[in-house]
Amino acid sequence: MARVVDEESDEGLLLPPMSEQEEWSDVVPIPQDDGKHPVCPIAYTDEYVEMTDYFRAVMAAGEVSHRAFELSGRVIDANAAHYTAWVYRKKLIIDLGLDISEELSWVTEISRRHIKNYQLWHHRGALLVLLLDPKDVEHESQDQRVQNPAIRNELQFVSTVIEKDSKNFHAWSHRQLVVRSYGIWDQEMAFVETQINEDVRNNSAWNQRYFALTANQSADEFVLSEELADREIRYAVDKIKLAPNNESPWSYIIGLLVRHAPAMLHERLLPKINELAADTDYALAVSNTPFYWSALVDIYEERAKALEGKERGDVEAFAIEACDLLAKRYDPVRAKYWEYRKQALQAAS
């Protein structure tokens, strides 16, 4: 007997083997070809073997039917990583003209069991675009788009997933797809700030902040104004105060400025973090975190690129000194890396 999952209750339902079902009597199953002498054959269950043999036959015949659609769901539920089943299921949805909203509901149901499955999230993204073509709402304001039921429901679904697992890579990537596809950038920064306030160490949220800030523009397209740079520096430094040994805000602000405004590293960021390191409330924590000294290496290295002669050498000397301190005291686990950075600085001088 084959066991399938009832989508309403998650309980198993027993069905006779497909070979005994009248509905499938016209189909000749196609076995998986592992070659004459398979080195390490996978120990599939008999139910799974039969199911996929029939599914293989359905695909080979190019069958477009509701039974093929139902079978694709059974295969996926048994093996959510079966990307061919997902691809064929999408084709069936389009060719049969099935209800996209119902399919999204089905994906929501099975996501409870397969929440970190690549194929599931890819399928969900494809469904959303089929349900609501971005071109159909491009004339609307961002506020109007966010209120569209399809977009609102999708954002709510992703928010629920992130609430349960705030570092679910798939959920964050899918959220980026929704924001990017429908151009709803304005509301995203508020969502990100909420996530960072809940967990200042959530590196996924910090990554999303960069995504929202730059509106997914390339380094050449995005212009970081002084006003915006100052705002982000203040924001990052405020979060550093909460947990100086948290790498996320350090990496965020250094990465942002190196990529989009390297001159502001020395002009705007350096005074702020040095001021923090001199503050009696934070001095011990900041001066003992490797991320402070690592930031100094990056800042001085970038500064040296804009200088020549003795001035350049003097600035590079600061970066080299920071590398030595990191290797010997603050980050000895990565001593070889800091030695490499030191050698690169010496070679450039």
Side-chain angles (χ1 to χ4, degrees), residues 55 69 105 133-134 169 202 230 273 279 294 300 307 341 346:
F55 188 61
F69 178 71
S105 296
D133 190 328
F169 165 81
N202 187 346
D230 284 337
I273 63 173
D279 189 317
S294 174
Y300 288 128
L307 302 173
R341 290 288 299 270
Q346 291 171 330

Side-chain angles (χ1 to χ4, degrees), residues 29-68:
I30 299 176
Q32 179 169 303
D33 184 4
D34 286 332
K36 190 174 182 180
H37 303 291
V39 176
C40 187
I42 299 174
Y44 298 117
T45 65
D46 292 342
E47 294 175 6
Y48 183 77
V49 169
E50 182 185 54
M51 187 191 311
T52 51
D53 286 354
Y54 274 84
F55 188 61
R56 208 171 284 114
V58 165
M59 290 191 297
E63 180 177 322
V64 176
S65 66
H66 288 276
R67 72 174 182 177

Side-chain angles (χ1 to χ4, degrees), residues 227-243:
E227 180 182 1
L228 195 55
D230 284 337
R231 187 194 77 181
E232 292 305 295
I233 289 171
R234 286 194 302 272
Y235 184 83
V237 170
D238 284 344
K239 299 308 178 184
I240 288 170
K241 289 178 180 179
L242 296 176

Side-chain angles (χ1 to χ4, degrees), residues 308-315:
E308 295 181 357
K310 184 178 182 303
E311 281 187 305
R312 176 171 182 149
D314 290 343
V315 171

Side-chain angles (χ1 to χ4, degrees), residues 99-276:
D99 190 315
I100 305 297
S101 295
E102 288 186 6
E103 178 70 359
L104 278 169
S105 296
W106 179 79
V107 173
T108 298
E109 286 299 317
I110 66 168
S111 70
R112 291 184 296 171
R113 299 186 293 279
H114 309 290
I115 197 61
K116 291 190 176 181
N117 175 267
Y118 280 97
Q119 289 75 28
L120 181 149
W121 286 99
H122 179 80
H123 185 69
R124 189 175 188 98
L127 290 175
L128 180 62
V129 175
L130 286 173
L131 179 64
L132 180 64
D133 190 328
K135 293 181 181 178
D136 292 342
V137 293
E138 62 183 6
H139 63 285
E140 298 178 355
S141 69
Q142 291 194 40
D143 287 341
Q144 289 175 315
R145 292 176 215 165
V146 170
Q147 293 306 313
N148 184 289
I151 298 174
R152 186 178 66 247
N153 291 342
E154 201 64 14
L155 290 175
Q156 182 57 53
F157 170 74
V158 180
S159 295
T160 301
V161 174
I162 290 174
E163 184 178 336
K164 294 179 180 178
D165 180 359
S166 63
K167 298 181 182 180
N168 186 320
F169 165 81
H170 307 278
W172 283 106
S173 295
H174 186 72
R175 189 174 181 94
Q176 288 191 4
L177 180 144
V178 177
V179 172
R180 182 173 57 248
S181 296
Y182 299 102
I184 47 175
W185 302 99
D186 292 348
Q187 54 82 44
E188 192 62 11
M189 190 62 80
F191 175 79
V192 168
E193 291 198 3
T194 298
Q195 295 299 311
I196 293 176
N197 287 339
E198 290 180 359
D199 178 8
V200 74
R201 293 176 173 83
N202 187 346
N203 51 295
S204 297
W206 282 98
N207 180 71
Q208 190 77 355
R209 184 177 183 89
Y210 176 81
F211 170 79
L213 180 74
T214 62
N216 201 41
Q217 298 177 76
S218 69
D220 293 332
E221 295 172 325
F222 177 68
V223 177
L224 184 65
S225 67
E226 290 188 9
E227 180 182 1
L228 195 55
D230 284 337
R231 187 194 77 181
E232 292 305 295
I233 289 171
R234 286 194 302 272
Y235 184 83
V237 170
D238 284 344
K239 299 308 178 184
I240 288 170
K241 289 178 180 179
L242 296 176
N245 205 37
N246 169 28
E247 185 174 6
S248 294
W250 293 100
S251 294
Y252 170 77
I253 196 60
I254 290 292
L256 176 67
L257 297 180
V258 165
R259 189 173 177 82
H260 299 288
M264 294 186 190
L265 283 163
H266 189 267
E267 296 172 7
R268 306 295 178 88
L269 180 61
L270 182 61
K272 291 290 184 182
I273 63 173
N274 280 341
E275 178 183 330
L276 198 59

